[in-house]
Amino acid sequence: MDNLRLIDTQLAHKLGALSGEQRPEILLAVTMLSYKLNRGDICLDLMAYKANTQIASEIAQTTDLAVHIPTPIDWKNLLNTSPMVGSPGDSTPLVLEGNYLYLGRYWQLETNLIQELMARIGTWIPNVDTKLLKASLKHLFFIDNNHRQQETNWQCLAAALAVFKPFCIISGGPGTGKTRTVTAILALLIEQSLALYAKVPRIALGVPTGKAAARLTESIRKSKASLLQNTNIDQKIINAIPEEALTLHRLLKFRPGRCEPQHGKSNQLPIDVLVIDEASMLDLPMMARVLSALTQSSRLILLGDRHQLASVEAGMVMGDLCGGTKKLTYSYDLVSKLSNVADINLPYAEANPPAIVDHQIILEKSYRFPDDSGIGQLAKAVNSGVATQALNILKSGKYPDVTLIPGNPESLMEALKPRVIAWFRHTLSATDPTQALTRFNNLRILCALRSGPYGVNAINKLVATILTQAGLIDTNSAIYHGCPIMVTKNDYKQHLYNGDIGLILQDHQLGVSLRAFFETSEGIRRILPNRIPPHELVYAMTVHKSQGSEFDEVIMILPNVASDIITRELIYTGITRAKKHVTLIAEPIWLSKAISRVVTRDSGLFRKIWL
């Protein structure tokens, strides 16, 4: 059975031994819950009888828990009699809330998160200088004073929303201007604070990974320069916008050997505004800790793409908060306020929508992918789940920026060979490390899996073989001229972080000596080979690892097998890493199946926020 771990059954037997519980139906429930947590779910839905029966059948084939699950009602009644299962609020290893079984720790994390969110949802910032806000929105978003805008300026609305609300979510695909929007928001918040309180608010920029921190830092710097050049916002305000982004681990001050960070409920962060980029990557435990570390008066702004892959760990916080693919219609109160300050017509619901709706904006317009862009059209088709439309786009020949190559293990080398050789020859002909890294990052091969003939490990070996046969690299040693590497563990002393990509090159300043070169927000970093943090080969990388990155060209390889991992969200995320061209190496039938499959994770967050 895929992903069933020894620890899943060990947990059940250990808890059973500690509590005296030996009924196989109860031990099976614990095993299934642990298994589902590893797959990203927060809880076990006892009413999902068909799905649970299938999982139980597969568990029975590989473990000693060969038992058929009871009917949902009988199973629930059995769990209610177990000494290891309690009700919400009980200090028991497991918690049964309605029809959902949780590990006690995850129930508490989810409950804490929802309580913190509900304290913000439905509320307004009490003091806003609307006259100042209206004038500044015009400067920042070039609103025509003579008539109301015919095309909805979602960036402007997002900025206004973030000023009025203590909590907001700004979701949008690549090229929709999320970073530019949040930079403008920070300028507005600083301006409002100076006008109302004569002080600059304390602002922090947080991200899930070190690589994302470097990207956000660079993007904020560019956005500040653009605001300074293209608007008449006071330079002092723009200068007050922070540039350095920190990983959430650094921001909360996680400590080696401890589960909980230094900042939490009893030692909250001394900040007024927290912006978190790449929020789709946040899992439930991290999001719960972030909310716990914020004071009630702190603003929280989440940036991300609700269509991207969910977090690697348990939960899909941003997806749940955004309501999946629900269309947003706002309350009359919010529409009235936003329309007044932004001069934009906005649809609102006649019936009262869920309160969470009034805390989010979807940026609709892509400035990267115009209407005639194959990448943009393909991304829309994939998001809509219309596989036939996606295949028509790929096969039509109308869009030169998207290509479909039917793939099988035997033909992969021939499919990759010409493009890979041209790419790497161009990389190695660079005159300096900066140019080499730029050329290397022009293209990336993305895989859905790590193992198997289509996985990262196999494709990295295949590409190395192609380049060796072409005489471009010499793989007789583990580290060689032209070897691309990706850091797999944060190294704060070296200022290198999980996901950072570098090249091993000859250091012309030191003759033929090899050095690792990384492009960082502080410029090119040169590292001795024996000081490189833990790393791996990276001709190819997983789609998960590519989140937040951008490349001119992407080659995405999909296996000819059915897998729950290969979903619509994965295809969309891989496609939208490309700015200029996407090549999909996949059999149409398996691509269609992937587009029709969506990520679903059991949790209470969506149910308790939306329903």
Side-chain angles (χ1 to χ4, degrees):
M1 180 180 178
D2 291 343
N3 297 326
L4 181 67
R5 306 163 299 168
L6 182 60
I7 194 174
D8 297 328
T9 53
Q10 286 180 332
L11 176 65
H13 288 298
K14 183 65 174 178
L15 290 179
L18 290 172
S19 65
E21 177 61 81
Q22 294 300 315
R23 285 174 290 180
E25 296 89 352
I26 306 298
L27 300 183
L28 177 62
V30 180
T31 301
M32 290 175 64
L33 176 57
S34 179
Y35 164 76
K36 287 177 72 66
L37 276 169
N38 186 48
R39 292 171 61 89
D41 296 287
I42 300 299
C43 54
L44 173 65
D45 182 359
L46 300 178
M47 296 297 117
Y49 184 72
K50 184 176 179 180
N52 290 340
T53 300
Q54 177 63 34
I55 297 173
S57 175
E58 294 177 5
I59 289 175
Q61 296 174 23
T62 56
T63 73
D64 59 351
L65 293 172
V67 57
H68 294 292
I69 64 172
T71 64
I73 298 301
D74 289 342
W75 208 11
K76 183 176 175 180
N77 289 337
L78 278 173
L79 287 165
N80 271 321
T81 65
S82 174
M84 68 170 105
V85 180
S87 300
D90 290 344
S91 298
T92 48
L94 297 123
V95 170
L96 184 60
E97 183 180 57
N99 298 320
Y100 298 90
L101 182 67
Y102 290 80
L103 280 181
R105 173 174 175 266
Y106 279 88
W107 178 86
Q108 193 62 60
L109 285 168
E110 184 178 272
T111 299
N112 292 346
L113 173 59
I114 291 171
Q115 288 175 347
E116 293 289 347
L117 285 172
M118 294 308 294
R120 289 171 168 80
I121 292 174
T123 63
W124 298 83
I125 295 296
N127 298 319
V128 174
D129 186 332
T130 55
K131 184 178 180 180
L132 177 62
L133 175 60
K134 188 169 185 176
S136 296
L137 288 172
K138 291 182 185 295
H139 297 318
L140 288 165
F141 298 99
F142 316 112
I143 299 172
D144 189 342
N145 289 312
N146 297 321
H147 59 275
R148 297 174 75 84
Q149 296 188 81
Q150 299 303 308
E151 181 179 340
T152 302
N153 188 328
W154 293 104
Q155 291 185 12
C156 181
L157 289 172
L161 178 72
V163 174
F164 282 123
K165 292 289 188 178
F167 166 63
C168 75
I169 305 168
I170 301 172
S171 175
T176 52
K178 294 189 294 294
T179 306
R180 198 275 179 189
T181 301
V182 82
T183 307
I185 289 170
L186 295 179
L188 292 171
L189 294 180
I190 292 168
E191 183 180 57
Q192 287 281 321
S193 184
L194 287 171
L196 295 170
Y197 309 110
K199 66 177 183 179
V200 174
R202 299 164 298 178
I203 300 170
L205 307 175
V207 287
T209 67
K211 181 172 66 171
R215 286 195 307 272
L216 181 59
T217 297
E218 181 181 0
S219 297
I220 290 287
R221 287 174 181 168
K222 290 179 178 178
S223 295
K224 285 176 62 175
S226 176
L227 288 183
L228 191 60
Q229 183 178 0
N230 298 308
T231 71
N232 63 353
I233 298 296
D234 193 317
Q235 184 171 348
K236 292 181 180 179
I237 290 175
I238 294 176
N239 289 344
I241 299 172
E243 297 176 355
E244 184 183 7
L246 300 175
T247 65
L248 293 173
H249 278 81
R250 290 186 70 188
L251 183 68
L252 298 181
K253 295 185 178 179
F254 276 80
R255 296 160 290 183
R258 300 191 183 186
C259 293
E260 296 304 320
Q262 183 175 326
H263 286 295
K265 196 71 176 176
S266 60
N267 181 26
Q268 294 178 312
L269 289 164
I271 58 175
D272 303 304
V273 182
L274 174 60
V275 176
I276 300 180
D277 195 15
E278 300 294 347
S280 62
M281 299 172 69
L282 291 179
D283 56 39
L284 172 69
M286 179 58 80
M287 192 65 189
R289 290 184 175 107
V290 167
L291 266 295
S292 178
L294 292 179
T295 66
Q296 284 297 312
S297 61
S298 298
R299 295 174 184 259
L300 176 62
I301 301 171
L302 301 181
L303 302 179
D305 185 347
R306 65 174 180 166
H307 297 299
Q308 274 194 195
L309 281 166
S311 59
V312 175
E313 304 299 332
M316 49 183 295
V317 175
M318 185 159 182
D320 285 341
L321 291 177
C322 290
T325 58
K326 286 182 177 289
K327 189 172 180 63
L328 305 180
T329 51
Y330 302 97
S331 70
Y332 178 81
D333 285 347
L334 184 70
V335 170
S336 177
K337 280 185 178 290
L338 296 189
S339 299
N340 178 51
V341 297
D343 285 333
I344 296 173
N345 292 318
L346 191 65
Y348 63 88
E350 293 183 8
N352 290 329
I356 184 65
V357 172
D358 279 359
H359 291 263
Q360 53 190 293
I361 290 283
I362 310 296
L363 301 183
E364 303 281 1
K365 183 176 181 179
S366 175
Y367 298 90
R368 179 181 302 169
F369 303 129
D371 291 340
D372 61 351
S373 162
I375 297 174
Q377 294 299 318
L378 183 59
K380 288 179 182 177
V382 170
N383 266 341
S384 301
V386 186
T388 53
Q389 183 182 354
L391 290 174
N392 287 339
I393 291 168
L394 288 163
K395 295 176 179 178
S396 67
K398 295 180 181 179
Y399 303 100
D401 57 338
V402 292
T403 304
L404 176 64
I405 301 175
N408 57 67
E410 293 73 29
S411 65
L412 275 176
M413 177 175 279
E414 292 307 311
L416 290 172
K417 195 172 184 178
R419 187 65 196 95
V420 162
I421 290 175
W423 164 50
F424 221 70
R425 182 173 285 130
H426 187 55
T427 297
L428 294 182
S429 67
T431 57
D432 59 67
T434 300
Q435 189 180 62
L437 283 164
T438 299
R439 292 180 177 183
F440 178 72
N441 286 324
N442 282 343
L443 181 146
R444 191 67 76 248
I445 301 170
L446 302 182
C447 302
L449 308 172
R450 290 199 64 86
S451 58
Y454 304 90
V456 164
N457 298 332
I459 299 302
N460 273 323
K461 291 179 182 178
L462 179 61
V463 172
T465 298
I466 292 171
L467 297 178
T468 300
Q469 292 175 355
L472 292 172
I473 62 172
D474 180 0
T475 57
N476 287 326
S477 60
I479 294 180
Y480 50 86
H481 177 64
C483 178
I485 57 174
M486 180 168 62
V487 174
T488 56
K489 185 177 180 180
N490 293 339
D491 186 332
Y492 295 107
K493 291 183 180 178
Q494 297 284 0
H495 297 282
L496 293 174
Y497 307 101
N498 186 6
D500 283 350
I501 291 175
L503 280 174
I504 305 293
L505 298 170
Q506 291 178 357
D507 191 338
H508 295 296
Q509 295 181 10
L510 300 173
V512 296
S513 297
L514 292 176
R515 294 290 186 274
F517 294 88
F518 293 87
E519 188 171 16
T520 72
S521 58
E522 302 166 353
I524 292 295
R525 187 171 297 281
R526 179 189 281 104
I527 304 291
L528 287 167
N530 61 359
R531 297 189 65 190
I532 304 171
H535 58 277
E536 62 187 21
L537 195 63
V538 70
Y539 294 110
M541 63 196 301
T542 62
V543 176
H544 273 93
K545 282 285 189 180
S546 76
Q547 282 184 272
S549 299
E550 297 174 355
F551 312 101
D552 284 348
E553 181 179 354
V554 160
I555 299 173
M556 184 159 59
I557 302 173
L558 299 182
N560 295 347
V561 295
S563 171
D564 291 342
I565 296 173
I566 307 169
T567 63
R568 180 184 309 171
E569 292 84 358
L570 182 137
I571 304 299
Y572 168 81
T573 302
I575 289 169
T576 54
R577 298 312 91 204
K579 295 186 286 186
K580 296 180 179 179
H581 192 273
V582 169
T583 298
L584 274 166
I585 300 179
E587 291 295 333
I589 184 172
W590 297 110
L591 178 59
S592 296
K593 289 180 182 296
I595 292 172
S596 65
R597 189 182 298 114
V598 295
V599 173
T600 56
R601 291 183 173 181
D602 286 332
S603 80
L605 184 57
F606 174 82
R607 289 182 283 109
K608 295 171 184 177
I609 293 291
W610 279 89
L611 303 180

